[in-house]
Amino acid sequence: MIPEATVARLPVYLRALTALADRGIRTCSSEELATAAGVNSAKLRKDLSYLGSYGTRGVGYDVDYLRYQIAREIGVTQDWPVVIVGIGNLGHALANYSGFRSRGFRVVALLDADRSRHQEVVAGVAVRPFDDLEAIVHEHAVAIGVIATPAAAAQDVADRMVACGITSILNFAPAVLAVPDGVDVRKVDLSIELQILAYHEQRKAQVGQAAASVDGVDGLDGLDGAAGVGSGQLDGATIGVDK
Amino acid sequence: MIPEATVARLPVYLRALTALADRGIRTCSSEELATAAGVNSAKLRKDLSYLGSYGTRGVGYDVDYLRYQIAREIGVTQDWPVVIVGIGNLGHALANYSGFRSRGFRVVALLDADRSRHQEVVAGVAVRPFDDLEAIVHEHAVAIGVIATPAAAAQDVADRMVACGITSILNFAPAVLAVPDGVDVRKVDLSIELQILAYHEQRKAQVGQAAASVDGVDGLDGLDGAAGVGSGQLDGATIGVDK
DNA sequence: AGGAGCTTGTGAACGCGAGAACAAAATCTC
DNA sequence: GAGATTTTGTTCTCGCGTTCACAAGCTCCT
């Protein structure tokens, strides 16, 4: 129903609206909200139009009302129990991340296959054996699992999760997961993001060099247009030198 | 030159090739590599064709050769010095992440504004005051900065980075950054990914409920088609119930 | 009340990316 | 060496997402 690209931006709008609300702003135009969210206003309006007509022409959007509508649409008005598997450095960081709790995600269990970690308590939650997964998933009706294990273990963990009835997986391990239809997987790969930046960085260097050697003009001609809103952050990197 | 969507997949292919090489495989077809990378073979071939003709018809690709070509194109054959700002839980995890080093990213400095952290040594690198940023950037010719601070500090950090000459930023803070043209920003937002999963999870529940209440048929009809390769992982979540 | 001035919501055009299908080229078989 | 087989590289088509442009609708002012 709602395009995938729009779904991916709704949480950004939600965050921007929360920031506006925190500053005491009660009403905003699509232009203001778009700026706060880092997109252009046409896209914002089209995105919001998929949810319904929650704005008022000539006026704008009621911040709190729109915030509630988006939250409801995404599903963050309800409570989502989450299990995190793999309590290494990243697992620790995730368990402690306050942004989960504040958006309706409750970490009900931390699991790790390593026995030496089972005495640990992270962010107020005890680390338990991985084999407890099924019991926990059934007890708390967990639908979302987070994988923060090494790559080698990721597929096994995913298989076990699916077997227990988990239908959404957030994967931080640098591995491609095979899952049945009906199971959603999203992956976050830290090193891939850096590699994408490196690619553009390399191109900038090449272009800058070529331009400098050919006609002495700096290849990065946009630097004076400072403070332009970071455009297109969601879709990908902004590319300084185009074409 | 190379489409952005392709650039985003090249690191995935690189990882898949490395995995194949580790298993002693010298040659692979586009079909095999595509499976390993979680994409379909047509897309893979098209992506690779942007780099040049590095395969042999009727045979396939030489794993090592293709790996080198992709690495060169991305720019990970060279060494990229990186600074990480914000050594909280996430900063710790990033500093310790081995996937950076193994792909040519070298963490040359960890910076934090909090004085109480300046005695710390994380992953063999001392935590230094944020004000040392400029000296470090110039000394090591740093082009890539990682922001792992709270959201409130992110824009200030970004501004300082840009002022020092950093032209690529990986932002983990849940904030929209405004940067000049010519500076690339990529963002990773952990809670946004979870919210996207929550949205689809909510829809699954609704559809399942509707189907169950209408005709008693389970809404998730694809679960028996187990072990289908996780399709379209890069582009977004796979959606179990379509239309 | 009526017009001026905004701002939303949407129809239409456009461009990019995905996937299918096929031609080109290499190897293998006999 | 010729045909069969395999697999790449590329062309073409389709669909989605972005952006533009404008009509519809609300408020404010006179």
Side-chain angles (χ1 to χ4, degrees), chain A residues 1 3 10 13 31 101 113 136 146 160 170 181 193 210 215 232:
Chain A
M1 188 84 184
L10 291 180
Y13 302 154
E31 193 65 42
R101 168 136 241 168
I136 292 165
V146 177
R160 290 283 293 271
L170 180 53
D181 283 359
E193 299 300 323
D215 57 16

Side-chain angles (χ1 to χ4, degrees), chain A residues 2 7 41 57 62 81 88 98 113 119-120 135 139 145 147 164 168 192 205 218 224 235 239:
Chain A
I2 298 181
V7 171
S41 62
R57 295 174 195 230
D62 181 282
S98 63
Q119 301 306 325
E120 234 174 303
E139 182 189 349
I147 298 179
C164 294
S168 290
I192 283 184
D218 184 13
D224 50 348
D235 342 317
I239 306 173

Side-chain angles (χ1 to χ4, degrees), chain A residues 187 189 191-193 195-197 199-200 235-237, chain B residues 2-15 39 47 74 186 234-235:
Chain A
K187 83 166 168 344
D189 190 312
S191 85
I192 283 184
E193 299 300 323
Q195 290 175 65
I196 296 171
L197 286 176
Y199 170 79
H200 292 302
D235 342 317
Chain B
I2 296 181
E4 194 56 33
T6 296
V7 171
R9 281 188 294 266
L10 290 180
V12 181
Y13 302 153
L14 192 55
R15 198 175 64 201
V39 301
D47 284 341
I74 299 176
R186 291 193 71 85
L234 188 75
D235 341 316

Side-chain angles (χ1 to χ4, degrees), chain B residues 81-92:
Chain B
V82 170
V83 295
I84 300 177
V85 177
I87 312 301
N89 284 302
L90 185 57
H92 265 92

Side-chain angles (χ1 to χ4, degrees), chain B:
Chain B
M1 188 84 184
I2 296 181
E4 194 56 33
T6 296
V7 171
R9 281 188 294 266
L10 290 180
V12 181
Y13 302 153
L14 192 55
R15 198 175 64 201
L17 284 167
T18 302
L20 291 178
D22 288 348
R23 286 164 46 200
I25 297 172
R26 317 281 304 195
T27 291
C28 68
S29 68
S30 64
E31 193 65 44
E32 291 166 327
L33 182 54
T35 302
V39 301
N40 79 15
S41 60
K43 193 176 350 189
L44 172 75
R45 285 199 302 276
K46 186 168 226 175
D47 284 341
L48 295 184
S49 76
Y50 289 114
L51 311 187
S53 290
Y54 295 136
T56 309
R57 295 175 195 228
V59 177
Y61 300 93
D62 182 280
V63 171
D64 279 334
Y65 181 60
L66 182 58
R67 186 156 62 126
Y68 170 75
Q69 292 298 341
I70 294 179
R72 190 181 50 78
E73 190 70 37
I74 299 176
V76 293
T77 48
Q78 54 184 288
D79 191 71
W80 292 100
V82 170
V83 295
I84 300 177
V85 177
I87 312 301
N89 284 302
L90 185 57
H92 265 92
L94 294 174
N96 281 299
Y97 184 47
S98 62
F100 290 165
R101 169 135 239 169
S102 68
R103 286 175 183 79
F105 299 99
R106 188 163 42 92
V107 177
V108 297
L110 304 175
L111 305 178
D112 201 300
D114 185 352
R115 286 173 153 267
S116 67
R117 289 212 169 96
H118 294 167
Q119 302 306 325
E120 235 174 303
V121 174
V122 180
V125 180
V127 178
R128 298 173 58 178
F130 180 54
D131 286 336
D132 290 3
L133 178 66
E134 185 160 10
I136 291 165
V137 167
H138 289 142
E139 183 188 349
H140 294 93
V142 179
I144 302 176
V146 177
I147 299 179
T149 66
Q155 184 63 57
D156 284 345
V157 171
D159 291 343
R160 290 282 292 273
M161 282 182 169
V162 171
C164 294
I166 281 180
T167 47
S168 289
I169 295 175
L170 180 54
N171 179 33
F172 287 90
V176 174
L177 297 183
V179 296
D181 282 358
V183 177
D184 285 348
V185 175
R186 291 193 71 85
K187 82 165 164 349
V188 174
D189 191 312
L190 311 178
S191 85
I192 284 184
E193 299 299 323
L194 269 189
Q195 289 174 66
I196 296 171
L197 285 176
Y199 169 80
H200 291 302
E201 199 59 46
Q202 183 178 239
R203 277 186 65 82
K204 284 184 215 167
Q206 284 169 359
V207 173
Q209 199 177 317
S213 65
V214 168
D215 57 13
V217 172
D218 183 15
L220 303 176
D221 55 3
L223 272 174
D224 50 348
V229 166
S231 49
Q233 291 199 323
L234 188 75
D235 341 316
T238 48
I239 306 172
V241 182
D242 47 12
K243 281 292 142 44

Side-chain angles (χ1 to χ4, degrees), chain A residues 100-178:
Chain A
F100 290 164
R101 168 136 241 168
S102 68
R103 285 174 184 80
F105 299 98
R106 188 164 41 91
V107 177
V108 297
L110 304 175
L111 305 178
D112 202 299
D114 185 352
R115 286 171 154 268
S116 67
R117 288 212 170 96
H118 295 165
Q119 301 306 325
E120 234 174 303
V121 174
V122 180
V125 180
V127 177
R128 297 172 58 178
F130 179 54
D131 286 335
D132 290 3
L133 177 66
E134 185 159 12
I136 292 165
V137 167
H138 289 143
E139 182 189 349
H140 295 92
V142 178
I144 301 177
V146 177
I147 298 179
T149 65
Q155 184 63 58
D156 284 345
V157 171
D159 291 344
R160 290 283 293 271
M161 283 183 168
V162 170
C164 294
I166 282 180
T167 48
S168 290
I169 295 175
L170 180 53
N171 178 33
F172 287 91
V176 174
L177 297 183

